[in-house]
């Protein structure tokens, strides 16, 4: 195998797989990517749950394949100043030449690389790349990290067939907060489907979608989901299990409803967070007609108090929240205003995106 490649091209290709290849693994091969040079060049990376396959623009001088350490070649590509010549040598070594710089990397044979699941999607949908990216951004922050309830470590993708299209609902929750968004997408399905996409796969997908325009293809089968983005294919194993009934969690009848300026609310939350307890980030909310007062007290440091205008005419209420949960929710909302709905100090509260009515965030209150 021997090929010439522009530094920018290989740098971009390797950037796409840095989040997928394993940095520390009991299987050394998972820290490598597979470079194939046939009629065209392509790269493959996997951690056994997620797989990436994409093209590499290169001038192929000799065909072949080799598994190459992903992190080291990426670091080389970032530092060299000229185009790169990659040449496989005896015993799976790779010689990298760029200008007057020469590197040798110890590779592994293609035979050792894990086999990827074949694209065998029973049903396919078309989804606008920008729309899907936005939906993931508005929900992935609420998913769990290494939660013992493993289904919470992913995003629920709930496909609901309608007469002319499909409603896609995406939900993220860690048990303390929940983010929900729904939009219509093109396509037909034989039946309703619920898939749990791992958080890592959702983050990698969102990053790839940032550079894509137009529609992408989503293929569904029992154990995997396939995303075809331009010439790139991202495959993910699905999380098995039953996702919580999110429709039961989203409150429908909160009587106390306020509207707040998003920027002013966010800044007030950040200032009161400074004086809150680090472990709980707890702040007390005193909502009354026309205004909201935020109070954080830390006996070891001091206290903070913020007052801001609120469009509210209901009864007064005092309630506590982990402010970081609210900040995460507000950060992904569009528009200039945020809806804030409450029932009582112990019931779930709702943050609503005024600009997009089908985006809602549930936050559990806490005692302060």
């Amino acid at each position: 195998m021997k090929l010439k490649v522009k530094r920018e091209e290989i740098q971009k290709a390797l950037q796409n797989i840095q989040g997928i290849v394993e940095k520390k693994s009991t299987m050394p091969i998972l820290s490598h990517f597979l470079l194939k040079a046939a009629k065209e060049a392509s790269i493959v990376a996997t951690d056994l749950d997620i797989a990436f396959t994409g093209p590499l623009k290169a001038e192929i001088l000799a065909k072949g394949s080799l598994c190459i350490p992903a992190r080291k070649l990426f670091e080389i590509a970032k530092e060299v100043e000229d185009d790169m010549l990659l040449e496989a040598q005896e015993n799976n070594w790779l010689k990298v030449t760029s200008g007057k710089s020469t590197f040798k990397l110890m590779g592994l044979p293609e035979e050792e690389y894990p086999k990827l699941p074949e694209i065998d999607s029973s049903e396919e949908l078309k989804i606008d790349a920008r729309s899907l990216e936005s939906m993931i951004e508005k929900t992935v922050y609420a998913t769990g990290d290494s939660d013992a309830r493993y289904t919470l470590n992913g995003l629920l993708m709930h496909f609901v067939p309608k007469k002319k299209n499909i409603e896609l609902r995406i939900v993220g929750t860690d048990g303390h907060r929940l983010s929900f968004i729904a939009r219509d997408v093109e396509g037909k399905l034989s039946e309703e489907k619920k898939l749990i996409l791992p958080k890592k796969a959702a983050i990698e997908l969102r990053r790839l979608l940032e550079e894509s325009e137009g529609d992408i293809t989503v293929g569904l089968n029992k154990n995997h989901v396939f995303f075809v983005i331009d010439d790139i294919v991202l495959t993910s194993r699905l999380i098995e299990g039953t996702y919580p009934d999110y429709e039961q969690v989203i409150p429908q009848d909160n009587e106390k409803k306020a509207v707040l300026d998003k920027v002013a609310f966010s800044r007030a939350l950040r200032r009161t967070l400074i004086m809150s307890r680090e472990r709980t980030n707890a702040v007390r909310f005193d909502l009354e007609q026309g205004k909201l007062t935020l109070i954080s007290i830390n006996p070891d440091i001091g206290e903070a108090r913020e007052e801001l205008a609120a469009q509210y005419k209901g009864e007064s209420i005092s309630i506590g929240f982990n402010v970081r949960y609210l900040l995460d929710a507000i950060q992904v909302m569009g528009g200039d205003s945020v809806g804030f709905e409450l029932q009582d100090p112990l019931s779930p509260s709702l943050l609503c995106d005024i600009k997009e009515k089908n985006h809602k965030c549930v936050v559990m209150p806490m005692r302060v």
Side-chain angles (χ1 to χ4, degrees):
M1 180 188 77
K2 185 176 182 181
L3 55 112
K4 280 183 180 179
V5 60
K6 289 187 178 298
R7 184 181 67 88
E8 297 82 5
E9 291 292 340
I10 195 162
Q11 192 175 333
K12 181 181 176 183
L14 293 177
Q15 176 72 59
N16 283 333
I17 64 172
Q18 291 307 304
I20 296 174
V21 291
E22 292 288 318
K23 309 296 187 295
K24 299 175 182 177
S25 174
T26 53
M27 294 178 64
I29 193 73
L30 296 183
S31 66
H32 293 55
F33 73 96
L34 174 59
L35 175 59
K36 292 182 176 181
K39 286 186 178 180
E40 296 178 340
S42 64
I43 65 173
V44 179
T46 185
D47 65 359
L48 300 183
D49 289 321
I50 309 168
F52 172 100
T53 305
L56 174 65
K57 291 182 182 177
E59 180 187 348
I60 298 168
L61 305 175
K63 296 179 180 180
S65 61
L66 188 65
C67 298
I68 302 166
R71 186 70 198 170
K72 285 301 174 190
L73 189 59
F74 181 50
E75 289 174 355
I76 291 169
K78 285 198 299 184
E79 296 300 333
V80 297
E81 298 175 1
D82 298 305
D83 295 344
M84 299 168 66
L85 178 68
L86 309 182
E87 187 176 2
Q89 304 200 307
E90 287 185 11
N91 299 319
N92 303 308
W93 282 87
L94 178 73
K95 182 181 178 183
V96 182
T97 309
S98 175
K100 295 185 178 180
S101 303
T102 304
F103 302 85
K104 282 193 174 181
L105 291 172
M106 185 186 294
L108 292 168
E110 180 184 0
E111 296 73 44
E112 292 189 24
Y113 208 73
K115 298 296 181 193
L116 303 188
E118 293 185 12
I119 298 181
D120 175 27
S121 50
S122 55
E123 297 185 273
E124 289 187 350
L125 305 169
K126 297 285 186 183
I127 301 180
D128 179 72
R130 284 281 175 265
S131 181
L132 183 56
E133 179 205 350
S134 170
M135 293 179 79
I136 294 171
E137 181 187 14
K138 291 176 185 292
T139 50
V140 73
Y141 74 87
T143 54
D145 286 303
S146 304
D147 198 297
R149 298 161 293 176
Y150 54 92
T151 56
L152 301 188
N153 297 323
L155 281 181
L156 175 69
M157 301 183 75
H158 185 184
F159 298 89
V160 183
K162 291 186 169 183
K163 285 185 179 180
K164 294 184 178 180
N165 52 27
I166 297 163
E167 183 180 59
L168 170 58
R169 304 172 184 173
I170 299 185
V171 184
T173 183
D174 60 5
H176 302 288
R177 50 172 170 185
L178 177 147
S179 185
F180 164 95
I181 190 167
R183 288 179 184 168
D184 291 337
V185 300
E186 293 180 23
K188 290 185 178 181
L189 285 177
S190 57
E191 60 183 6
E192 190 174 335
K193 288 186 181 292
K194 290 184 177 181
L195 315 175
I196 306 175
L197 181 69
K199 184 173 186 175
K200 181 178 176 180
I203 291 170
E204 289 304 314
L205 174 61
R206 180 184 64 181
R207 196 177 48 72
L208 291 173
L209 290 171
E210 287 175 357
E211 298 182 7
S212 182
E213 298 285 348
D215 289 343
I216 69 162
T217 302
V218 181
L220 313 174
N221 73 16
K222 186 178 178 182
N223 300 313
H224 293 87
V225 59
F226 307 90
F227 300 96
V228 183
I229 307 160
D230 300 323
D231 296 326
I232 292 170
V233 179
L234 185 73
T235 307
S236 176
R237 190 189 303 275
L238 298 171
I239 296 177
E240 296 181 11
T242 303
Y243 203 79
D245 187 349
Y246 63 88
E247 293 177 277
Q248 294 292 322
V249 175
I250 300 173
Q252 303 295 333
D253 53 0
N254 281 347
E255 297 171 354
K256 301 175 177 63
K257 298 182 179 182
V259 177
L260 302 160
D261 180 87
K262 189 179 81 170
V263 173
F265 188 31
S266 178
R267 287 175 176 171
L269 291 174
R270 292 183 188 282
R271 288 192 289 264
T272 49
L273 177 63
I274 294 169
M275 301 303 288
S276 66
R277 293 176 183 265
E278 287 188 15
R279 289 186 63 185
T280 62
N281 304 308
V283 171
R284 193 178 89 213
F285 287 56
D286 292 342
L287 182 61
E288 54 191 304
Q289 288 195 19
K291 70 175 182 179
L292 172 64
T293 304
L294 309 179
I295 302 168
S296 61
I297 301 174
N298 186 331
D300 300 326
I301 301 173
E303 60 183 74
R305 182 185 185 94
E306 287 278 339
E307 192 175 290
L308 64 154
Q311 296 178 35
Y312 179 68
K313 296 180 180 179
E315 297 177 3
S316 299
I317 181 175
S318 290
I319 188 170
F321 292 103
N322 180 329
V323 168
R324 289 207 178 274
Y325 291 166
L326 299 180
L327 284 168
D328 287 345
I330 294 169
Q331 189 173 331
V332 297
M333 290 184 175
D336 299 323
S337 302
V338 176
F340 193 29
E341 300 183 8
L342 310 99
Q343 183 67 27
D344 58 62
L346 299 178
S347 299
S349 296
L350 201 60
L351 281 171
C352 303
D353 192 332
I354 300 294
K355 187 177 181 181
E356 185 163 12
K357 292 183 179 179
N358 286 334
H359 178 212
K360 300 175 181 178
C361 302
V362 181
V363 181
M364 296 300 295
M366 61 191 303
R367 296 182 186 277
V368 290

